[in-house]
Amino acid sequence: MALNSNDRSIAAFAMAGHALVHWFETSIPIFLVVWLAEFDVSVAVFGLVVALGYAPFGIGALPGGILADRYGTKRLILLCLAGMSAAFLVLSLANSIYAIAVGLVLWGVAASVYHPAGLALISTGVEERGTVFAWHGIAGNAGIALGPFVAATLLIGLDWHLVAALLAVPGILAALYGLGASFDPTAAVADDVDAGPDEALSASTLLANSRALFASAFAIVFVIVVFEGLYYRGMLTYLPEILHGLEAMAGLAVPAGLEGIQPSDYIYVGLLVVGMGGQYVGGKLTERIAPARGLVGIFAVLAVLAVAFVPVTGMGLAAIAGLCGAFGFFLFAIQPFYQNAVAVYTPADSRGLSYGYTYLGEFGFGSASIAIGGFVLGELSLTAFFAVIAGFAVGGGLFAGALLVESGRFVGTEEALETEAND
């Protein structure tokens, strides 16, 4: 079914926002290489500075969701785009590690509001929700791939200060586009449901809404998202390093002019590109398959892929590349299913809060797998690492199964939650 004009307007605005969040996010490590060469500061100290920027990205999701419910999703996304662009303009003027830290923290705070606001906007404003979730995810993957590619390419011939300023330009243009964009952010909810901004939102209301959410099916969805975040962060953080270390990479010829790039880098970028297809297929399937059923199936596949990784490493480069392609497809195909599950099992008037909790689980609690994975890889073995990763998928699958079994009890969840939150 073709998207109506309101769906198209929201899709274009949200896709631009999602792509740019990840455009900025993934360009920062490229700058880190340059900063380490320019400033007389240790890797450990600069790592802490960069962490200061990334930390608010996850921690700020919950307050970002609260602000989206209070002030409106479009306003929050515009502030996000403007704030991220301003942060990179600050970086373009930086001449010390302290100024860089200020720019990165500003970026993290601004970027943190996007996911709860953007997904809340899609869930309340779009009729063809699954299709737009799919395109929205594809846009995010495009940003993930293009951010470091463009930054690295520009840095070949330009000073990093100028490159930081140039990277801010798309964010400024997107903010200007958003100012003129016209759409109804609540077109997909019933006329008698108040899904608009709530200027009178109070601490007691937030507490009541939160209690209502976690007394419902959303509590299970939240745990599912945490397990997905543990799998996602652990896998994407350490897979490049794991691929670099595989002896099977040694024999691959690198194209002329790209001698400094390892073959594993191509495989990793390919994984992200294949992920775009996973986002699209997953989004389209949410219109045909119940969220819980889809989550059970994809978690099962992800568990099998993790268990299969070590045996496949002995089968040659083609087998490794194929397995990584499958990882990329299913790792991103699962995202539209949990995004849709949040929309199905939460009330429209608390959608920003719901997605705020969701991305606190995804980017906040999910990042624990970085520490867990580093310990397992350093102290145990590659086999143990993938066993732990597979365990995250099994945990998510079990909770998705519980959601599937209990789904009959949650019919009319939105209406029940709205009634409870308003009592």
Side-chain angles (χ1 to χ4, degrees), residues 163-417:
V163 174
L166 290 174
L167 290 179
V169 172
I172 295 170
L173 294 176
L176 292 173
Y177 163 77
L179 285 172
S182 177
F183 50 77
D184 179 359
T186 61
V189 298
D191 293 338
D192 60 346
V193 175
D194 181 13
D198 185 357
E199 299 292 349
L201 199 61
S202 65
S204 60
T205 302
L206 288 173
L207 183 59
N209 287 347
S210 297
R211 277 205 317 262
L213 284 174
F214 283 96
S216 72
F218 178 75
I220 301 177
V221 175
F222 178 78
V223 177
I224 290 169
V225 172
V226 170
F227 275 112
E228 190 279 336
L230 290 167
Y231 191 106
Y232 175 91
R233 279 299 187 201
M235 180 61 70
L236 290 190
T237 298
Y238 291 108
L239 189 57
E241 180 180 346
I242 290 168
L243 291 174
H244 283 180
L246 292 176
E247 293 181 3
M249 299 293 161
L252 184 66
V254 179
L258 297 174
E259 288 80 2
I261 299 178
Q262 296 191 41
S264 56
D265 293 331
Y266 293 106
I267 292 178
Y268 187 69
V269 171
L271 179 156
L272 298 175
V273 172
V274 171
M276 296 183 191
Q279 288 272 13
Y280 180 78
V281 173
K284 297 298 286 185
L285 286 177
T286 62
E287 298 174 356
R288 298 170 177 258
I289 301 174
R293 192 177 302 277
L295 288 166
V296 169
I298 297 179
F299 271 125
V301 173
L302 290 174
V304 170
L305 292 174
V307 171
F309 192 92
V310 172
V312 168
T313 58
M315 300 179 185
L317 184 63
I320 295 171
L323 182 63
C324 287
F327 263 128
F329 183 89
F330 288 100
L331 192 60
F332 289 98
I334 199 171
Q335 293 182 358
F337 278 98
Y338 74 69
Q339 291 165 357
N340 194 45
V342 175
V344 168
Y345 294 113
T346 62
D349 61 353
S350 295
R351 202 58 57 74
L353 180 65
S354 304
Y355 282 113
Y357 279 119
T358 297
Y359 281 90
L360 174 63
E362 168 82 7
F363 295 136
F365 297 156
S367 64
S369 63
I370 297 175
I372 296 169
F375 172 80
V376 174
L377 280 173
E379 301 298 326
L380 300 176
S381 65
L382 187 63
T383 300
F385 171 80
F386 280 104
V388 170
I389 294 294
F392 294 145
V394 170
L398 290 174
F399 277 93
L403 183 64
L404 179 62
V405 170
E406 297 293 322
S407 60
R409 292 201 305 115
F410 299 123
V411 175
T413 296
E414 293 191 25
E415 293 80 0
L417 281 169

Side-chain angles (χ1 to χ4, degrees), residues 27-37 43 46-47 50:
S27 68
I28 291 172
I30 304 300
F31 284 103
L32 180 59
V33 178
V34 181
W35 294 333
L36 285 169
V43 176
F46 243 123
V50 173

